[in-house]
Amino acid sequence: RNIIQHGVHGLLSAPRDAAGFAQAMESLVRQQELSRQIALRAVGYAQERSWDTIFDQLISDYEQAMDRKKLAC
């Protein structure tokens, strides 16, 4: 589960995908309107979230990950 939605709050690339990351960064540099819109939505999204909400979600995510690991064993 991603907090950042690709093209909405940011741009995502696969882990360790340097070429994909570079492509995402290049698109932000070349497409200033896209960069501006993503930045505005990201700021709005961040302002809607409290630290309590963020930590509650983080704890829930960790608990789910631990439960999946237990089932896999």
Side-chain angles (χ1 to χ4, degrees):
R1 184 177 77 73
N2 292 316
I3 293 173
I4 297 172
Q5 296 175 357
H6 184 75
V8 177
H9 306 108
L11 297 180
L12 300 173
S13 62
R16 298 180 184 83
D17 180 4
F21 179 77
Q23 183 179 10
M25 295 300 97
E26 182 179 354
S27 68
L28 290 174
V29 170
R30 291 183 183 270
Q31 300 176 47
Q32 291 183 0
E33 183 58 23
L34 172 66
S35 179
R36 189 179 77 73
Q37 289 297 320
I38 286 175
L40 289 172
R41 288 190 295 261
V43 168
Y45 180 74
Q47 289 174 338
E48 293 172 358
R49 314 236 335 146
S50 71
W51 281 111
D52 287 338
T53 303
I54 292 167
F55 283 118
D56 286 347
Q57 186 61 55
L58 180 63
I59 290 168
S60 175
D61 290 346
Y62 277 121
E63 288 172 343
Q64 289 175 17
M66 289 186 303
D67 288 344
R68 284 192 301 270
K69 185 158 178 82
K70 286 177 188 176
L71 291 175
C73 293

